[in-house]
């Protein structure tokens, strides 16, 4: 278990507990969250960007790692309701100072954010996945990664995307078959 402050651990439990009653959370599983945190720790990530905040569950997992690496999360969602609730969740978890929340469409917001990232997490509107990748890949440092959710649950929609990233010479990409399927694409050149 990743060592984390009790407030953060409590918000992870609470956000997991509330998901079924919220109905529209569509959040990752706890096992996926643990893996995301492990990836961030393995890469010593200091800067992570996420498209698809929802109620903050995946963000809390990134933040469990970023609290240890002294890093920062940028997260984007188009839903104002989720943006507001996720802000409260991050505040209650005691990690609001480590997060920049952005309200808007990923396609519009990503170009307004400066700098490079260790990791990008794509978990928003599935048809735009390739566009998010195209915007984010040049901003990932060598040795960093893009992680994409739903590559197994949305195989039809994700097929072209997977073929495209698998054919890149500057990437090593592998599917981790946990729950909806996470694609872990490392930037190797
Ligand atoms: C699968 S959920 C994200 C779950 C979250 N990553 C988690 O595990 O806790 C997808 C989210 O993408 C958001 N979304 C949909 N279209 C979007 C867009 N064009 N730009 C940004 N966010 C979008 C939805 O509002 C929804 O909250």
């Amino acid at each position: 278990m990743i060592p984390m402050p009790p407030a953060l651990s409590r918000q992870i439990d609470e956000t997991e507990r509330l998901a079924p009653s919220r109905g529209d959370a569509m959040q990752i599983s706890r096992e996926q969250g643990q893996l995301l945190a492990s990836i961030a720790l393995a890469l010593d990530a200091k800067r992570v960007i996420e498209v698809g905040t929802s109620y903050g569950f995946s963000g809390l997992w990134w933040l469990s790692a970023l609290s240890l690496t002294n890093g920062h999360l940028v997260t984007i969602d188009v839903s104002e309701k989720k943006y507001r609730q996720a802000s409260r969740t991050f505040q209650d978890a005691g990690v609001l100072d480590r997060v920049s929340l952005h309200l808007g469409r990923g396609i519009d917001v990503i170009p307004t954010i400066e700098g490079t990232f260790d990791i990008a997490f794509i978990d928003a509107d599935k048809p735009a996945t390739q566009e998010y990748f195209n915007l984010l890949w040049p901003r990932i440092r060598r040795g960093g990664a893009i992680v994409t959710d739903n590559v197994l649950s949305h195989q039809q929609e994700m097929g072209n995307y997977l073929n495209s990233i698998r054919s890149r010479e500057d990437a090593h990409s592998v599917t981790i078959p946990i729950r909806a399927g996470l694609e872990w694409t490392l930037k190797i050149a």
Side-chain angles (χ1 to χ4, degrees):
M1 187 65 188
I2 293 170
M4 63 177 93
L8 178 51
S9 175
R10 261 199 311 276
Q11 283 307 312
I12 286 178
D13 292 347
E14 180 73 352
T15 310
E16 184 178 44
R17 188 182 68 76
L18 288 173
S21 61
R22 283 173 163 157
D24 61 350
M26 301 175 284
Q27 64 200 32
I28 58 165
S29 67
R30 176 172 286 263
E31 293 71 25
Q32 287 181 306
Q34 284 167 341
L35 180 67
L36 297 185
S38 302
I39 290 172
L41 290 175
L43 300 188
D44 192 26
K46 301 283 193 291
R47 206 158 180 247
V48 175
I49 182 166
E50 169 182 84
V51 196
T53 315
S54 193
Y55 292 104
F57 191 63
S58 53
L60 290 169
W61 284 105
W62 289 122
L63 288 157
S64 71
L66 293 168
S67 298
L68 295 176
T69 63
N70 198 19
H72 195 88
L73 174 70
V74 174
T75 184
I76 305 164
D77 205 288
V78 76
S79 156
E80 188 167 354
K81 177 183 75 168
K82 291 178 170 180
Y83 165 84
R84 287 186 193 284
Q85 181 54 54
S87 306
R88 278 196 290 272
T89 296
F90 294 140
Q91 181 154 31
D92 292 347
V95 289
L96 194 57
D97 57 337
R98 292 202 178 277
V99 198
S100 305
L101 292 108
H102 294 263
L103 175 62
R105 299 191 321 150
I107 293 296
D108 301 327
V109 174
I110 293 167
T112 70
I113 298 165
E114 291 183 351
T116 57
F117 301 95
D118 301 291
I119 299 172
F121 181 45
I122 303 177
D123 189 20
D125 45 331
K126 303 308 160 187
T129 299
Q130 182 72 59
E131 280 179 272
Y132 293 139
F133 183 93
N134 294 345
L135 284 172
L136 291 165
W137 189 247
R139 316 271 301 273
I140 299 291
R141 67 150 164 100
R142 185 172 176 274
I146 288 191
V147 180
T148 310
D149 195 20
N150 300 108
V151 297
L152 294 178
S153 60
H154 293 59
Q155 274 184 24
Q156 200 122 2
E157 269 173 289
M158 294 295 205
N160 288 342
Y161 172 68
L162 287 184
N163 289 339
S164 153
I165 54 179
R166 293 264 166 85
S167 66
R168 296 189 69 100
E169 290 189 353
D170 61 352
H172 170 67
S173 200
V174 62
T175 300
I176 302 166
I178 307 181
R179 190 62 98 76
L182 289 170
E183 188 73 10
W184 180 7
T185 310
L186 268 174
K187 192 163 194 173
I188 56 172

